């Protein structure tokens, strides 16, 4: 396959992912309206899990072909790029800074993300060679604790 065709295919698939992401967002808003669950909870669990599926598939494919750095770069790069979306949202929010609208959930997400990133960084430094490292237990525990806090104290 030619390089030009590969680029076209990648762009077409990116458009499909973007359109699907929009539909997932609309579905998440529908779940919030229908169930009364806090929007932060639905965004942090349901829509995030669904929109992370392409990264999971890429990670698995990268591992299967032995491109471990590609898989890790996909996950970390995706999270870093997602952080840029907050800047974009802030720039387009017409009522001032989007950060001024942050509530307790926003602070919880920020703290959780920072803690998970620090745990991952520590794991990359320590680089355990056998079995599941401490991060394999710590990162899911941090996530579950955050979800529990969202349910206990929404908003």
């Amino acid at each position: 396959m030619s390089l030009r065709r590969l680029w076209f295919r990648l762009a077409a698939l990116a458009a499909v992912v973007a359109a699907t992401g929009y539909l997932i967002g609309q579905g998440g808003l529908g779940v919030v309206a229908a169930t009364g669950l806090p929007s932060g909870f639905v965004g942090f669990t349901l829509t995030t899990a669904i929109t992370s599926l392409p990264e999971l598939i890429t990670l698995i494919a990268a591992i299967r072909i032995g491109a471990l750095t590609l898989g890790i770069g996909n996950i970390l790069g995706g999270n870093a790029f997602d952080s840029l979306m907050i800047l974009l949202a802030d720039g387009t929010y017409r009522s001032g800074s989007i950060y001024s609208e942050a509530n307790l959930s926003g602070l919880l997400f920020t703290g959780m993300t920072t803690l998970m990133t620090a745990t991952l960084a520590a794991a990359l430094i320590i680089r355990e060679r056998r079995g599941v490292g401490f991060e394999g237990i710590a990162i899911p525990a941090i996530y579950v604790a955050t979800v529990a806090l969202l349910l206990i104290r929404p908003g």
Side-chain angles (χ1 to χ4, degrees):
M1 188 178 297
S2 72
L3 183 59
R4 184 179 199 165
R5 185 173 169 112
L6 283 172
W7 278 112
F8 177 77
R9 188 183 225 178
L10 181 63
L13 291 171
V16 169
V17 170
T20 305
Y22 173 79
L23 294 174
I24 291 167
Q26 293 301 307
L29 291 172
V31 168
V32 169
T35 64
L37 287 169
S39 61
F41 174 79
V42 172
F44 186 72
T45 57
L46 183 64
T47 60
T48 300
I50 294 168
T51 58
S52 294
L53 290 175
E55 283 90 352
L56 175 62
I57 299 303
T58 302
L59 175 64
I60 291 169
I63 290 170
R64 291 182 81 184
I65 64 170
L68 302 180
T69 303
L70 172 66
I72 292 171
N74 172 59
I75 299 297
L76 298 178
N79 289 333
F81 190 79
D82 286 347
S83 297
L84 295 174
M85 297 304 104
I86 296 173
L87 176 65
L88 181 63
D90 190 42
T92 58
Y93 185 61
R94 294 186 179 176
S95 298
S97 172
I98 198 169
Y99 300 105
S100 67
E101 301 294 327
N103 56 20
L104 185 59
S105 294
L107 295 173
L108 181 62
F109 299 150
T110 302
M112 178 276 314
T113 302
T114 303
L115 185 56
M116 287 176 74
T117 302
T119 303
L120 185 58
L124 289 171
I125 291 168
I126 293 171
R127 296 183 185 239
E128 294 185 37
R129 301 288 182 204
R130 294 188 181 166
V132 175
F134 71 93
E135 78 286 354
I137 297 167
I139 290 175
I142 294 166
Y143 184 86
V144 168
T146 303
V147 169
L149 286 171
L150 282 171
L151 288 173
I152 293 169
R153 175 107 182 181

